[in-house]
Amino acid sequence: QVQLVESGGGLVQPGGSLRLSCAASGRTFSTYAMGWFRQAPGKEREFVAAISRGGGSTNYADSVEGRFTISRDSGKNTVYLQMNSLNSDDTAVYYCGIGPSLSVYYAEYNYWGQGTQVTVSS
């Protein structure tokens, strides 16, 4: 069974940056893509970004396009999310997941981590 652990969240000021990490452990499948979703209080889980198993293909939500960058370290089986120009709308718990494709639908992902809190406030 695949296990995922997110880290790197915290409190930042508007306009600041954070880099999130998601480390996978246990048995993994080389054919799986990895993605980031986020969920703010009282809102549904929202797609953020996804990356293919080899890192050659990516997909971004319109709300983060040009500000966030997803990347993957195959050797460490870790995915990253570099977040720049953060604003209050980015405040949420960020989750990473593993799925068969670069899907924008959370139900299509098979495994999830516990999440890491990102708070953007002055």
Side-chain angles (χ1 to χ4, degrees):
Q1 188 82 14
V2 175
Q3 296 176 317
L4 302 171
V5 179
E6 302 94 337
S7 62
L11 175 64
V12 297
Q13 295 184 347
S17 299
L18 280 176
R19 189 192 190 203
L20 305 183
S21 299
C22 176
S25 62
R27 185 169 183 173
T28 60
F29 297 92
S30 61
T31 58
Y32 275 14
M34 299 185 71
W36 287 96
F37 284 71
R38 64 188 182 185
Q39 188 166 23
K43 298 181 64 178
E44 296 182 351
R45 191 175 301 177
E46 175 189 29
F47 173 78
V48 177
I51 189 168
S52 62
R53 63 173 182 173
S57 299
T58 57
N59 189 22
Y60 294 95
D62 290 341
S63 60
V64 306
E65 184 79 57
R67 298 189 298 121
F68 291 9
T69 302
I70 188 170
S71 60
R72 189 168 188 166
D73 185 336
S74 298
K76 295 185 178 297
N77 204 12
T78 301
V79 66
Y80 305 95
L81 185 68
Q82 178 66 47
M83 306 185 295
N84 299 325
S85 301
L86 289 164
N87 57 66
S88 60
D89 292 332
D90 298 315
T91 296
V93 177
Y94 284 70
Y95 300 90
C96 68
I98 295 178
S101 66
L102 278 59
S103 177
V104 302
Y105 303 109
Y106 70 86
E108 296 187 7
Y109 289 77
N110 305 121
Y111 306 99
W112 294 97
Q114 292 293 105
T116 184
Q117 176 71 50
V118 172
T119 302
V120 185
S121 177
S122 60

PDB file of all heavy atoms in Angstrom, residues 75-110:
ATOM      1  N   GLY A  75      14.096   9.722  -8.162  1.00  0.00           N
ATOM      2  CA  GLY A  75      15.001   8.992  -7.287  1.00  0.00           C
ATOM      3  C   GLY A  75      14.519   8.929  -5.851  1.00  0.00           C
ATOM      4  O   GLY A  75      14.712   7.919  -5.173  1.00  0.00           O
ATOM      5  N   LYS A  76      13.906  10.006  -5.384  1.00  0.00           N
ATOM      6  CA  LYS A  76      13.406  10.062  -4.009  1.00  0.00           C
ATOM      7  C   LYS A  76      11.917   9.789  -3.925  1.00  0.00           C
ATOM      8  O   LYS A  76      11.346   9.808  -2.835  1.00  0.00           O
ATOM      9  CB  LYS A  76      13.716  11.431  -3.388  1.00  0.00           C
ATOM     10  CG  LYS A  76      15.198  11.720  -3.228  1.00  0.00           C
ATOM     11  CD  LYS A  76      15.421  13.031  -2.505  1.00  0.00           C
ATOM     12  CE  LYS A  76      16.905  13.303  -2.308  1.00  0.00           C
ATOM     13  NZ  LYS A  76      17.531  12.271  -1.439  1.00  0.00           N
ATOM     14  N   ASN A  77      11.285   9.550  -5.078  1.00  0.00           N
ATOM     15  CA  ASN A  77       9.846   9.309  -5.139  1.00  0.00           C
ATOM     16  C   ASN A  77       9.081  10.422  -4.425  1.00  0.00           C
ATOM     17  O   ASN A  77       8.207  10.166  -3.588  1.00  0.00           O
ATOM     18  CB  ASN A  77       9.507   7.948  -4.527  1.00  0.00           C
ATOM     19  CG  ASN A  77       8.198   7.396  -5.059  1.00  0.00           C
ATOM     20  OD1 ASN A  77       7.638   7.897  -6.030  1.00  0.00           O
ATOM     21  ND2 ASN A  77       7.705   6.345  -4.414  1.00  0.00           N
ATOM     22  N   THR A  78       9.414  11.644  -4.776  1.00  0.00           N
ATOM     23  CA  THR A  78       8.864  12.825  -4.127  1.00  0.00           C
ATOM     24  C   THR A  78       8.364  13.818  -5.168  1.00  0.00           C
ATOM     25  O   THR A  78       8.999  14.008  -6.210  1.00  0.00           O
ATOM     26  CB  THR A  78       9.922  13.504  -3.239  1.00  0.00           C
ATOM     27  OG1 THR A  78      10.381  12.583  -2.251  1.00  0.00           O
ATOM     28  CG2 THR A  78       9.353  14.733  -2.548  1.00  0.00           C
ATOM     29  N   VAL A  79       7.238  14.448  -4.882  1.00  0.00           N
ATOM     30  CA  VAL A  79       6.702  15.494  -5.738  1.00  0.00           C
ATOM     31  C   VAL A  79       6.713  16.807  -4.958  1.00  0.00           C
ATOM     32  O   VAL A  79       6.515  16.817  -3.736  1.00  0.00           O
ATOM     33  CB  VAL A  79       5.287  15.142  -6.240  1.00  0.00           C
ATOM     34  CG1 VAL A  79       4.290  15.104  -5.089  1.00  0.00           C
ATOM     35  CG2 VAL A  79       4.840  16.120  -7.316  1.00  0.00           C
ATOM     36  N   TYR A  80       6.942  17.915  -5.664  1.00  0.00           N
ATOM     37  CA  TYR A  80       7.034  19.226  -5.048  1.00  0.00           C
ATOM     38  C   TYR A  80       6.018  20.176  -5.672  1.00  0.00           C
ATOM     39  O   TYR A  80       5.606  20.015  -6.816  1.00  0.00           O
ATOM     40  CB  TYR A  80       8.434  19.821  -5.224  1.00  0.00           C
ATOM     41  CG  TYR A  80       9.545  18.936  -4.711  1.00  0.00           C
ATOM     42  CD1 TYR A  80      10.217  18.070  -5.569  1.00  0.00           C
ATOM     43  CD2 TYR A  80       9.931  18.968  -3.376  1.00  0.00           C
ATOM     44  CE1 TYR A  80      11.236  17.252  -5.108  1.00  0.00           C
ATOM     45  CE2 TYR A  80      10.946  18.160  -2.908  1.00  0.00           C
ATOM     46  CZ  TYR A  80      11.596  17.302  -3.773  1.00  0.00           C
ATOM     47  OH  TYR A  80      12.611  16.495  -3.303  1.00  0.00           O
ATOM     48  N   LEU A  81       5.650  21.181  -4.903  1.00  0.00           N
ATOM     49  CA  LEU A  81       4.803  22.247  -5.404  1.00  0.00           C
ATOM     50  C   LEU A  81       5.408  23.574  -4.963  1.00  0.00           C
ATOM     51  O   LEU A  81       5.334  23.933  -3.778  1.00  0.00           O
ATOM     52  CB  LEU A  81       3.368  22.124  -4.889  1.00  0.00           C
ATOM     53  CG  LEU A  81       2.385  23.142  -5.453  1.00  0.00           C
ATOM     54  CD1 LEU A  81       2.151  22.893  -6.941  1.00  0.00           C
ATOM     55  CD2 LEU A  81       1.055  23.091  -4.696  1.00  0.00           C
ATOM     56  N   GLN A  82       6.027  24.280  -5.905  1.00  0.00           N
ATOM     57  CA  GLN A  82       6.577  25.605  -5.639  1.00  0.00           C
ATOM     58  C   GLN A  82       5.469  26.629  -5.828  1.00  0.00           C
ATOM     59  O   GLN A  82       4.905  26.737  -6.920  1.00  0.00           O
ATOM     60  CB  GLN A  82       7.748  25.900  -6.578  1.00  0.00           C
ATOM     61  CG  GLN A  82       8.345  27.287  -6.407  1.00  0.00           C
ATOM     62  CD  GLN A  82       9.012  27.477  -5.069  1.00  0.00           C
ATOM     63  OE1 GLN A  82       9.784  26.626  -4.637  1.00  0.00           O
ATOM     64  NE2 GLN A  82       8.729  28.584  -4.399  1.00  0.00           N
ATOM     65  N   MET A  83       5.157  27.375  -4.790  1.00  0.00           N
ATOM     66  CA  MET A  83       4.062  28.325  -4.812  1.00  0.00           C
ATOM     67  C   MET A  83       4.614  29.738  -4.645  1.00  0.00           C
ATOM     68  O   MET A  83       5.217  30.056  -3.616  1.00  0.00           O
ATOM     69  CB  MET A  83       3.049  28.016  -3.706  1.00  0.00           C
ATOM     70  CG  MET A  83       2.528  26.588  -3.740  1.00  0.00           C
ATOM     71  SD  MET A  83       1.229  26.290  -2.504  1.00  0.00           S
ATOM     72  CE  MET A  83       2.165  26.527  -1.000  1.00  0.00           C
ATOM     73  N   ASN A  84       4.403  30.575  -5.648  1.00  0.00           N
ATOM     74  CA  ASN A  84       4.852  31.959  -5.627  1.00  0.00           C
ATOM     75  C   ASN A  84       3.664  32.903  -5.700  1.00  0.00           C
ATOM     76  O   ASN A  84       2.564  32.511  -6.081  1.00  0.00           O
ATOM     77  CB  ASN A  84       5.803  32.234  -6.798  1.00  0.00           C
ATOM     78  CG  ASN A  84       7.043  31.379  -6.766  1.00  0.00           C
ATOM     79  OD1 ASN A  84       7.578  31.063  -5.713  1.00  0.00           O
ATOM     80  ND2 ASN A  84       7.533  31.002  -7.951  1.00  0.00           N
ATOM     81  N   SER A  85       3.901  34.158  -5.351  1.00  0.00           N
ATOM     82  CA  SER A  85       2.867  35.198  -5.403  1.00  0.00           C
ATOM     83  C   SER A  85       1.593  34.755  -4.696  1.00  0.00           C
ATOM     84  O   SER A  85       0.484  34.903  -5.211  1.00  0.00           O
ATOM     85  CB  SER A  85       2.574  35.573  -6.860  1.00  0.00           C
ATOM     86  OG  SER A  85       3.734  36.038  -7.514  1.00  0.00           O
ATOM     87  N   LEU A  86       1.752  34.234  -3.508  1.00  0.00           N
ATOM     88  CA  LEU A  86       0.614  33.710  -2.762  1.00  0.00           C
ATOM     89  C   LEU A  86      -0.330  34.824  -2.323  1.00  0.00           C
ATOM     90  O   LEU A  86       0.099  35.932  -2.004  1.00  0.00           O
ATOM     91  CB  LEU A  86       1.102  32.938  -1.541  1.00  0.00           C
ATOM     92  CG  LEU A  86       1.772  31.589  -1.846  1.00  0.00           C
ATOM     93  CD1 LEU A  86       2.564  31.098  -0.645  1.00  0.00           C
ATOM     94  CD2 LEU A  86       0.711  30.565  -2.232  1.00  0.00           C
ATOM     95  N   ASN A  87      -1.604  34.513  -2.310  1.00  0.00           N
ATOM     96  CA  ASN A  87      -2.621  35.438  -1.827  1.00  0.00           C
ATOM     97  C   ASN A  87      -3.565  34.702  -0.888  1.00  0.00           C
ATOM     98  O   ASN A  87      -3.468  33.492  -0.701  1.00  0.00           O
ATOM     99  CB  ASN A  87      -3.380  36.084  -2.993  1.00  0.00           C
ATOM    100  CG  ASN A  87      -4.036  35.068  -3.910  1.00  0.00           C
ATOM    101  OD1 ASN A  87      -4.957  34.362  -3.503  1.00  0.00           O
ATOM    102  ND2 ASN A  87      -3.573  35.000  -5.154  1.00  0.00           N
ATOM    103  N   SER A  88      -4.491  35.436  -0.295  1.00  0.00           N
ATOM    104  CA  SER A  88      -5.373  34.855   0.711  1.00  0.00           C
ATOM    105  C   SER A  88      -6.235  33.727   0.164  1.00  0.00           C
ATOM    106  O   SER A  88      -6.626  32.825   0.917  1.00  0.00           O
ATOM    107  CB  SER A  88      -6.264  35.938   1.325  1.00  0.00           C
ATOM    108  OG  SER A  88      -7.067  36.559   0.336  1.00  0.00           O
ATOM    109  N   ASP A  89      -6.529  33.748  -1.123  1.00  0.00           N
ATOM    110  CA  ASP A  89      -7.330  32.686  -1.729  1.00  0.00           C
ATOM    111  C   ASP A  89      -6.594  31.351  -1.773  1.00  0.00           C
ATOM    112  O   ASP A  89      -7.213  30.313  -2.021  1.00  0.00           O
ATOM    113  CB  ASP A  89      -7.760  33.073  -3.146  1.00  0.00           C
ATOM    114  CG  ASP A  89      -8.752  34.217  -3.177  1.00  0.00           C
ATOM    115  OD1 ASP A  89      -9.501  34.383  -2.198  1.00  0.00           O
ATOM    116  OD2 ASP A  89      -8.775  34.956  -4.183  1.00  0.00           O
ATOM    117  N   ASP A  90      -5.289  31.367  -1.551  1.00  0.00           N
ATOM    118  CA  ASP A  90      -4.503  30.143  -1.551  1.00  0.00           C
ATOM    119  C   ASP A  90      -4.507  29.456  -0.186  1.00  0.00           C
ATOM    120  O   ASP A  90      -3.948  28.364  -0.052  1.00  0.00           O
ATOM    121  CB  ASP A  90      -3.061  30.428  -1.972  1.00  0.00           C
ATOM    122  CG  ASP A  90      -2.964  30.976  -3.385  1.00  0.00           C
ATOM    123  OD1 ASP A  90      -3.635  30.427  -4.283  1.00  0.00           O
ATOM    124  OD2 ASP A  90      -2.211  31.950  -3.594  1.00  0.00           O
ATOM    125  N   THR A  91      -5.085  30.077   0.811  1.00  0.00           N
ATOM    126  CA  THR A  91      -5.145  29.490   2.144  1.00  0.00           C
ATOM    127  C   THR A  91      -6.010  28.235   2.129  1.00  0.00           C
ATOM    128  O   THR A  91      -7.182  28.284   1.761  1.00  0.00           O
ATOM    129  CB  THR A  91      -5.701  30.493   3.161  1.00  0.00           C
ATOM    130  OG1 THR A  91      -4.809  31.598   3.281  1.00  0.00           O
ATOM    131  CG2 THR A  91      -5.864  29.843   4.528  1.00  0.00           C
ATOM    132  N   ALA A  92      -5.426  27.115   2.529  1.00  0.00           N
ATOM    133  CA  ALA A  92      -6.124  25.836   2.502  1.00  0.00           C
ATOM    134  C   ALA A  92      -5.210  24.758   3.050  1.00  0.00           C
ATOM    135  O   ALA A  92      -4.019  24.984   3.266  1.00  0.00           O
ATOM    136  CB  ALA A  92      -6.551  25.474   1.076  1.00  0.00           C
ATOM    137  N   VAL A  93      -5.770  23.581   3.266  1.00  0.00           N
ATOM    138  CA  VAL A  93      -4.974  22.392   3.512  1.00  0.00           C
ATOM    139  C   VAL A  93      -4.651  21.779   2.156  1.00  0.00           C
ATOM    140  O   VAL A  93      -5.555  21.539   1.354  1.00  0.00           O
ATOM    141  CB  VAL A  93      -5.702  21.371   4.395  1.00  0.00           C
ATOM    142  CG1 VAL A  93      -4.864  20.111   4.561  1.00  0.00           C
ATOM    143  CG2 VAL A  93      -6.010  21.975   5.756  1.00  0.00           C
ATOM    144  N   TYR A  94      -3.382  21.530   1.913  1.00  0.00           N
ATOM    145  CA  TYR A  94      -2.937  20.989   0.640  1.00  0.00           C
ATOM    146  C   TYR A  94      -2.649  19.501   0.773  1.00  0.00           C
ATOM    147  O   TYR A  94      -1.925  19.075   1.671  1.00  0.00           O
ATOM    148  CB  TYR A  94      -1.686  21.727   0.151  1.00  0.00           C
ATOM    149  CG  TYR A  94      -1.992  23.091  -0.412  1.00  0.00           C
ATOM    150  CD1 TYR A  94      -2.401  24.127   0.419  1.00  0.00           C
ATOM    151  CD2 TYR A  94      -1.896  23.338  -1.785  1.00  0.00           C
ATOM    152  CE1 TYR A  94      -2.711  25.372  -0.092  1.00  0.00           C
ATOM    153  CE2 TYR A  94      -2.195  24.582  -2.304  1.00  0.00           C
ATOM    154  CZ  TYR A  94      -2.602  25.592  -1.458  1.00  0.00           C
ATOM    155  OH  TYR A  94      -2.903  26.831  -1.970  1.00  0.00           O
ATOM    156  N   TYR A  95      -3.219  18.721  -0.134  1.00  0.00           N
ATOM    157  CA  TYR A  95      -3.078  17.277  -0.134  1.00  0.00           C
ATOM    158  C   TYR A  95      -2.409  16.812  -1.423  1.00  0.00           C
ATOM    159  O   TYR A  95      -2.656  17.381  -2.491  1.00  0.00           O
ATOM    160  CB  TYR A  95      -4.438  16.587  -0.058  1.00  0.00           C
ATOM    161  CG  TYR A  95      -5.254  16.911   1.164  1.00  0.00           C
ATOM    162  CD1 TYR A  95      -6.147  17.980   1.164  1.00  0.00           C
ATOM    163  CD2 TYR A  95      -5.150  16.140   2.315  1.00  0.00           C
ATOM    164  CE1 TYR A  95      -6.910  18.275   2.278  1.00  0.00           C
ATOM    165  CE2 TYR A  95      -5.904  16.428   3.431  1.00  0.00           C
ATOM    166  CZ  TYR A  95      -6.787  17.494   3.410  1.00  0.00           C
ATOM    167  OH  TYR A  95      -7.548  17.787   4.517  1.00  0.00           O
ATOM    168  N   CYS A  96      -1.586  15.784  -1.329  1.00  0.00           N
ATOM    169  CA  CYS A  96      -1.067  15.148  -2.527  1.00  0.00           C
ATOM    170  C   CYS A  96      -1.697  13.778  -2.686  1.00  0.00           C
ATOM    171  O   CYS A  96      -2.074  13.129  -1.711  1.00  0.00           O
ATOM    172  CB  CYS A  96       0.465  15.043  -2.513  1.00  0.00           C
ATOM    173  SG  CYS A  96       1.164  13.927  -1.289  1.00  0.00           S
ATOM    174  N   GLY A  97      -1.825  13.353  -3.930  1.00  0.00           N
ATOM    175  CA  GLY A  97      -2.436  12.072  -4.225  1.00  0.00           C
ATOM    176  C   GLY A  97      -1.764  11.387  -5.395  1.00  0.00           C
ATOM    177  O   GLY A  97      -1.018  12.009  -6.155  1.00  0.00           O
ATOM    178  N   ILE A  98      -2.039  10.110  -5.536  1.00  0.00           N
ATOM    179  CA  ILE A  98      -1.528   9.302  -6.641  1.00  0.00           C
ATOM    180  C   ILE A  98      -2.706   8.774  -7.435  1.00  0.00           C
ATOM    181  O   ILE A  98      -3.674   8.261  -6.864  1.00  0.00           O
ATOM    182  CB  ILE A  98      -0.658   8.143  -6.132  1.00  0.00           C
ATOM    183  CG1 ILE A  98       0.593   8.673  -5.444  1.00  0.00           C
ATOM    184  CG2 ILE A  98      -0.278   7.206  -7.273  1.00  0.00           C
ATOM    185  CD1 ILE A  98       1.489   7.593  -4.880  1.00  0.00           C
ATOM    186  N   GLY A  99      -2.625   8.895  -8.757  1.00  0.00           N
ATOM    187  CA  GLY A  99      -3.696   8.427  -9.612  1.00  0.00           C
ATOM    188  C   GLY A  99      -3.181   7.935 -10.949  1.00  0.00           C
ATOM    189  O   GLY A  99      -1.990   8.049 -11.248  1.00  0.00           O
ATOM    190  N   PRO A 100      -4.061   7.397 -11.766  1.00  0.00           N
ATOM    191  CA  PRO A 100      -3.651   6.819 -13.050  1.00  0.00           C
ATOM    192  C   PRO A 100      -3.405   7.844 -14.145  1.00  0.00           C
ATOM    193  O   PRO A 100      -2.846   7.496 -15.181  1.00  0.00           O
ATOM    194  CB  PRO A 100      -4.833   5.909 -13.402  1.00  0.00           C
ATOM    195  CG  PRO A 100      -6.009   6.590 -12.781  1.00  0.00           C
ATOM    196  CD  PRO A 100      -5.486   7.170 -11.496  1.00  0.00           C
ATOM    197  N   SER A 101      -3.821   9.104 -13.956  1.00  0.00           N
ATOM    198  CA  SER A 101      -3.661  10.119 -14.981  1.00  0.00           C
ATOM    199  C   SER A 101      -3.636  11.494 -14.343  1.00  0.00           C
ATOM    200  O   SER A 101      -3.798  11.630 -13.129  1.00  0.00           O
ATOM    201  CB  SER A 101      -4.793  10.027 -16.014  1.00  0.00           C
ATOM    202  OG  SER A 101      -6.037  10.344 -15.417  1.00  0.00           O
ATOM    203  N   LEU A 102      -3.449  12.528 -15.172  1.00  0.00           N
ATOM    204  CA  LEU A 102      -3.416  13.911 -14.687  1.00  0.00           C
ATOM    205  C   LEU A 102      -4.837  14.454 -14.582  1.00  0.00           C
ATOM    206  O   LEU A 102      -5.198  15.456 -15.204  1.00  0.00           O
ATOM    207  CB  LEU A 102      -2.577  14.778 -15.620  1.00  0.00           C
ATOM    208  CG  LEU A 102      -1.054  14.755 -15.459  1.00  0.00           C
ATOM    209  CD1 LEU A 102      -0.487  13.359 -15.648  1.00  0.00           C
ATOM    210  CD2 LEU A 102      -0.404  15.731 -16.429  1.00  0.00           C
ATOM    211  N   SER A 103      -5.630  13.809 -13.761  1.00  0.00           N
ATOM    212  CA  SER A 103      -7.040  14.133 -13.645  1.00  0.00           C
ATOM    213  C   SER A 103      -7.272  15.329 -12.732  1.00  0.00           C
ATOM    214  O   SER A 103      -6.544  15.546 -11.761  1.00  0.00           O
ATOM    215  CB  SER A 103      -7.817  12.926 -13.115  1.00  0.00           C
ATOM    216  OG  SER A 103      -9.184  13.239 -12.936  1.00  0.00           O
ATOM    217  N   VAL A 104      -8.317  16.111 -13.037  1.00  0.00           N
ATOM    218  CA  VAL A 104      -8.737  17.220 -12.186  1.00  0.00           C
ATOM    219  C   VAL A 104      -9.782  16.773 -11.173  1.00  0.00           C
ATOM    220  O   VAL A 104     -10.220  17.580 -10.350  1.00  0.00           O
ATOM    221  CB  VAL A 104      -9.295  18.388 -13.022  1.00  0.00           C
ATOM    222  CG1 VAL A 104      -8.252  18.881 -14.011  1.00  0.00           C
ATOM    223  CG2 VAL A 104     -10.569  17.979 -13.748  1.00  0.00           C
ATOM    224  N   TYR A 105     -10.174  15.503 -11.197  1.00  0.00           N
ATOM    225  CA  TYR A 105     -11.204  14.982 -10.305  1.00  0.00           C
ATOM    226  C   TYR A 105     -10.559  14.179  -9.171  1.00  0.00           C
ATOM    227  O   TYR A 105      -9.874  13.188  -9.411  1.00  0.00           O
ATOM    228  CB  TYR A 105     -12.186  14.108 -11.071  1.00  0.00           C
ATOM    229  CG  TYR A 105     -12.836  14.820 -12.231  1.00  0.00           C
ATOM    230  CD1 TYR A 105     -12.509  14.505 -13.543  1.00  0.00           C
ATOM    231  CD2 TYR A 105     -13.775  15.825 -12.011  1.00  0.00           C
ATOM    232  CE1 TYR A 105     -13.098  15.163 -14.604  1.00  0.00           C
ATOM    233  CE2 TYR A 105     -14.366  16.493 -13.071  1.00  0.00           C
ATOM    234  CZ  TYR A 105     -14.025  16.151 -14.360  1.00  0.00           C
ATOM    235  OH  TYR A 105     -14.609  16.808 -15.419  1.00  0.00           O
ATOM    236  N   TYR A 106     -10.823  14.596  -7.941  1.00  0.00           N
ATOM    237  CA  TYR A 106     -10.184  13.948  -6.801  1.00  0.00           C
ATOM    238  C   TYR A 106     -10.596  12.497  -6.637  1.00  0.00           C
ATOM    239  O   TYR A 106      -9.829  11.682  -6.107  1.00  0.00           O
ATOM    240  CB  TYR A 106     -10.463  14.730  -5.515  1.00  0.00           C
ATOM    241  CG  TYR A 106     -11.887  14.668  -5.007  1.00  0.00           C
ATOM    242  CD1 TYR A 106     -12.305  13.632  -4.182  1.00  0.00           C
ATOM    243  CD2 TYR A 106     -12.798  15.664  -5.331  1.00  0.00           C
ATOM    244  CE1 TYR A 106     -13.605  13.581  -3.711  1.00  0.00           C
ATOM    245  CE2 TYR A 106     -14.096  15.622  -4.865  1.00  0.00           C
ATOM    246  CZ  TYR A 106     -14.498  14.577  -4.061  1.00  0.00           C
ATOM    247  OH  TYR A 106     -15.789  14.537  -3.590  1.00  0.00           O
ATOM    248  N   ALA A 107     -11.798  12.151  -7.089  1.00  0.00           N
ATOM    249  CA  ALA A 107     -12.282  10.784  -6.942  1.00  0.00           C
ATOM    250  C   ALA A 107     -11.485   9.788  -7.774  1.00  0.00           C
ATOM    251  O   ALA A 107     -11.548   8.587  -7.520  1.00  0.00           O
ATOM    252  CB  ALA A 107     -13.761  10.712  -7.321  1.00  0.00           C
ATOM    253  N   GLU A 108     -10.743  10.266  -8.755  1.00  0.00           N
ATOM    254  CA  GLU A 108      -9.967   9.378  -9.609  1.00  0.00           C
ATOM    255  C   GLU A 108      -8.573   9.077  -9.055  1.00  0.00           C
ATOM    256  O   GLU A 108      -7.841   8.288  -9.644  1.00  0.00           O
ATOM    257  CB  GLU A 108      -9.857   9.972 -11.015  1.00  0.00           C
ATOM    258  CG  GLU A 108     -11.212  10.083 -11.713  1.00  0.00           C
ATOM    259  CD  GLU A 108     -11.097  10.511 -13.159  1.00  0.00           C
ATOM    260  OE1 GLU A 108      -9.967  10.604 -13.680  1.00  0.00           O
ATOM    261  OE2 GLU A 108     -12.156  10.755 -13.776  1.00  0.00           O
ATOM    262  N   TYR A 109      -8.224   9.695  -7.942  1.00  0.00           N
ATOM    263  CA  TYR A 109      -6.944   9.416  -7.303  1.00  0.00           C
ATOM    264  C   TYR A 109      -7.111   8.298  -6.273  1.00  0.00           C
ATOM    265  O   TYR A 109      -8.119   8.234  -5.569  1.00  0.00           O
ATOM    266  CB  TYR A 109      -6.370  10.671  -6.656  1.00  0.00           C
ATOM    267  CG  TYR A 109      -5.885  11.668  -7.682  1.00  0.00           C
ATOM    268  CD1 TYR A 109      -6.783  12.455  -8.383  1.00  0.00           C
ATOM    269  CD2 TYR A 109      -4.527  11.801  -7.958  1.00  0.00           C
ATOM    270  CE1 TYR A 109      -6.344  13.348  -9.345  1.00  0.00           C
ATOM    271  CE2 TYR A 109      -4.084  12.703  -8.907  1.00  0.00           C
ATOM    272  CZ  TYR A 109      -4.992  13.471  -9.596  1.00  0.00           C
ATOM    273  OH  TYR A 109      -4.545  14.369 -10.549  1.00  0.00           O
ATOM    274  N   ASN A 110      -6.127   7.436  -6.175  1.00  0.00           N
ATOM    275  CA  ASN A 110      -6.235   6.215  -5.392  1.00  0.00           C
ATOM    276  C   ASN A 110      -5.712   6.339  -3.963  1.00  0.00           C
ATOM    277  O   ASN A 110      -6.209   5.652  -3.059  1.00  0.00           O
ATOM    278  CB  ASN A 110      -5.491   5.079  -6.097  1.00  0.00           C
ATOM    279  CG  ASN A 110      -5.956   4.863  -7.519  1.00  0.00           C
ATOM    280  OD1 ASN A 110      -5.171   4.953  -8.462  1.00  0.00           O
ATOM    281  ND2 ASN A 110      -7.243   4.574  -7.673  1.00  0.00           N
TER     282      ASN A 110
END
